[in-house]
Amino acid sequence: MQAIELVNMALAARENAYAPYSGISVGAALLTREGRVFTGVNVENVSYALTVCAERVAVVNAVSAGCRRFDALAVAWNKQGFCRPCGACRQVLYEFNPEMRIIMADYGGEYEEQQLKTLLPNSFEK
Ligand SMILES: [Zn+2]
């Protein structure tokens, strides 16, 4: 699957984000090795620390459906600049595939791509 296709799915998913506090809507699209795509959005809460990022929602969706082999994740938001996964999401994604392609997009679909292990060097491991 082309990166731009995954970016477009992340942008479309973003429309469902629940972000009444920050106003930052984020969508993620996670590609499995089998070619399935699971999406996620950020879900905020009045108790801010309970907010869940779009990337982790996508992982939870995929794992709940029995998928654990991931090749790529696209993440996009409603702002300028490339949307980058936070440290917590990088660690959660790393659990499944350090070689994963991470495609980081802006509101208009421009993007850059890096490998997860580059974004999270010297990660925590068992
Ligand atoms: Zn995050």
Side-chain angles (χ1 to χ4, degrees):
M1 178 174 290
Q2 298 289 324
I4 189 64
E5 295 175 77
L6 213 52
V7 166
N8 286 334
M9 290 182 204
L11 286 167
R14 187 196 57 184
E15 300 299 321
N16 293 326
Y18 178 70
Y21 306 107
S22 73
I24 300 172
S25 301
V26 183
L30 181 62
L31 176 66
T32 72
R33 191 145 309 155
E34 298 79 18
R36 295 178 68 182
V37 176
F38 292 87
T39 59
V41 299
N42 55 329
V43 181
E44 295 185 345
N45 190 274
V46 66
S47 178
Y48 296 166
L50 299 179
T51 293
V52 184
C53 300
E55 301 94 312
R56 279 180 283 149
V57 170
V59 168
V60 169
N61 276 339
V63 173
S64 297
C67 297
R68 296 179 181 172
R69 300 190 308 168
F70 309 133
D71 284 343
L73 175 124
V75 60
W77 61 0
N78 59 344
K79 297 178 61 176
Q80 292 185 331
F82 299 131
C83 184
R84 303 191 186 284
C86 76
C89 288
R90 293 178 195 200
Q91 183 68 46
V92 167
L93 292 163
Y94 196 95
E95 177 85 9
F96 296 95
N97 181 8
E99 316 279 327
M100 193 182 310
R101 299 159 50 207
I102 305 296
I103 302 153
M104 298 159 284
D106 69 6
Y107 72 98
E110 296 293 319
Y111 64 89
E112 73 169 22
E113 180 176 327
Q114 292 190 46
Q115 200 168 41
L116 178 56
K117 67 183 182 185
T118 302
L119 293 174
L120 189 65
N122 304 315
S123 75
F124 178 80
E125 295 185 66
K126 293 186 269 190

